[in-house]
Amino acid sequence: MLDLAIIGGGPAGLSAGLYATRGGLKNVVMFEKGMPGGQITSSSEIENYPGSAEVLSGLDFMAPWTEQCMRFGMKHAMEEVTRVSRNEDGTFTIALNGGKSEQAKSVIVCTGSTPKRANFEGEAEFFGKGVSTCATCDGFFYKNKEVIALGGGDTALEEALYLSHICSKVYLVHRRDTFRASPSTVERVKNASNIELVLNAKVKKAYGDKMGLNGLIVIDADGKERDIAVPGVFVFVGMNVNNSILKQEDGSFLCDVDENGNVEVDLSMKTSVKGLFAAGDLRIQASKQVVCAAGDGATAGIQALEYVNHS
Amino acid sequence: MGKYLELNASNFDGTVKEGVALVDFWAPWCGPCRMIAPVIDELAGDFEGKAKICKVNTDEEQDVAIKYGIRSIPTILFFKNGELVDQMIGASSKQVLADKINSLL
């Protein structure tokens, strides 16, 4: 029986493990299907983590986290969790892909979120063949070529800037004429000589051939169709929370979630189920920032420690 | 423990032409590629003598990446006796990859 199962190895999961093990919990396992680090490892740069003044790529930024957070005895199971369920005695069963399972006294779910698809015609067909959600991964394949970045938030604009250094031109396609991104990022985008803003524009469809994407048809502010012939489209239109492991056999969720599937927690990251905590991007009102996920993880780790020690 | 094979333009065809091969197209700057790196390492051990577990560094082997139309990484191609039989785009779990290889053996 594990004292604590941590599901997910991003900033929240790593921080939770650090606090729980440093606080004295012995049998703590973090379930993460590959190398820990989380979604932020795909980010091109991080400049808003207080205390880390040097601007680093997500990969470089996360590199020391794993070593530090596992220093006090947290173990890493390279397994994919398929479901968390509650046993009659109040402990939990962690079901793993492949049919095995583990038992745990407490669980912290920090499975984060996944980039949303924009749901235009052809997006799924050309995903991985021109349509991407990771500029740091795939920007390289479009060196000195023209690409589209789709979206208007911080991620869209930051990654458009990243792409503008690799690609000959970036069309930033956004459905409004204002941006949710921070003013400093908007300013940098507006000043970039090779970023063209295509605003108040909706994507109609992607087209291509068997080799992959050849372009996008967008409908501009005047309702006219515009054909933007590019081999690459990068989609940054928000995130979906990864809550599927909380779904039970009957389709209900293990704990309370809001109408968008975000896990309901209180300020100590407790869910509606005793011994079950949630931290990071998948909780309600998450700011979806590394520093917030790390804070959530620390809180959840401390709470799990208290729960196990007093139950 | 077995180690994965590094493929390039000169040894690619010769390596995949017989038996079952998994080929992971990756690059050093790619977060999801680094995430599955330990999975590939373990698969190389688990399938030693049964299937070939290979990697192509797309940064160094751009011609190979172009030949296979790689435009997103990680992309994992599965070959059986030289024929491309399946592909997966993005980071998959060890179990999913192992199941795929077992289904081809």
Side-chain angles (χ1 to χ4, degrees), chain B residues 8-10 15 20 26 37 42 44 47 50 52 68 70 73 78 90:
Chain B
N8 53 46
S10 55
T15 305
V20 173
W26 72 288
E42 286 200 2
F47 285 94
K50 289 180 254 174
K52 292 164 183 165
Y68 287 96
I70 306 298
I73 48 175
F78 296 87

Side-chain angles (χ1 to χ4, degrees), chain A residues 186-238:
Chain A
V186 174
E187 199 56 36
R188 281 162 67 203
V189 165
K190 286 183 173 166
N191 290 335
S193 60
N194 63 341
I195 298 181
E196 178 183 332
L197 302 180
V198 183
L199 303 178
N200 290 315
K202 276 190 296 198
V203 178
K204 188 179 176 202
K205 66 169 186 176
Y207 63 90
D209 54 32
K210 67 179 194 327
M211 288 306 291
L213 182 85
N214 290 330
L216 221 56
I217 306 283
V218 303
I219 300 173
D220 68 15
D222 305 324
K224 279 191 293 221
E225 282 192 8
R226 178 173 172 190
D227 180 350
I228 307 178
V230 290
V233 173
F234 290 83
V235 178
F236 308 109
V237 294

Side-chain angles (χ1 to χ4, degrees), chain A residues 88-135:
Chain A
E88 270 181 19
D89 63 358
T91 60
F92 297 89
T93 296
I94 317 296
L96 306 173
N97 193 350
K100 288 179 291 178
S101 66
E102 291 276 358
Q103 306 294 312
K105 291 179 191 166
S106 64
V107 177
I108 302 175
V109 181
C110 19
T111 42
S113 53
T114 306
K116 257 186 204 166
R117 306 286 175 92
N119 289 324
F120 53 80
E121 188 188 329
E123 185 185 29
E125 184 189 343
F126 294 111
F127 197 84
K129 292 285 172 193
V131 178
S132 171
T133 54
C134 181

Side-chain angles (χ1 to χ4, degrees), chain B residues 17-58:
Chain B
K17 78 175 179 199
E18 271 176 49
V20 173
L22 171 157
V23 186
D24 168 29
F25 286 81
W26 72 288
W29 59 77
C30 158
C33 302
R34 296 266 281 265
M35 184 189 164
I36 64 165
V39 171
I40 300 295
D41 288 342
E42 286 200 2
L43 289 172
D46 294 353
F47 285 94
E48 189 175 9
K50 289 180 254 174
K52 292 164 183 165
I53 308 299
C54 318
K55 288 173 79 155
V56 173
N57 183 336
T58 55

Side-chain angles (χ1 to χ4, degrees), chain A residues 32-36 41-42 59-60 63 76 78-80 97-98 100 127-132 134-143 162 211-214 230-232, chain B residues 26-40 42 58-60 62 65-75 77 87 89 91-96 99:
Chain A
E32 169 57 65
K33 68 180 177 182
M35 186 186 81
T41 58
S42 294
L59 259 181
D60 291 340
H76 173 201
M78 216 161 67
E79 303 271 7
E80 186 172 29
N97 193 350
K100 288 179 291 178
F127 197 84
K129 292 285 172 193
V131 178
S132 171
C134 181
T136 54
C137 307
D138 303 336
F140 159 80
F141 296 107
Y142 304 99
K143 205 173 181 180
Y162 172 81
M211 288 306 291
L213 182 85
N214 290 330
V230 290
Chain B
W26 72 288
W29 59 77
C30 158
C33 302
R34 296 266 281 265
M35 184 189 164
I36 64 165
V39 171
I40 300 295
E42 286 200 2
T58 55
D59 188 25
E60 293 167 357
Q62 297 183 24
I66 290 166
K67 180 177 173 190
Y68 287 96
I70 306 298
R71 281 160 81 167
S72 194
I73 48 175
T75 288
L77 303 184
Q87 64 170 340
I89 291 164
S92 301
S93 71
K94 184 181 170 188
Q95 187 71 41
V96 168
D99 288 350

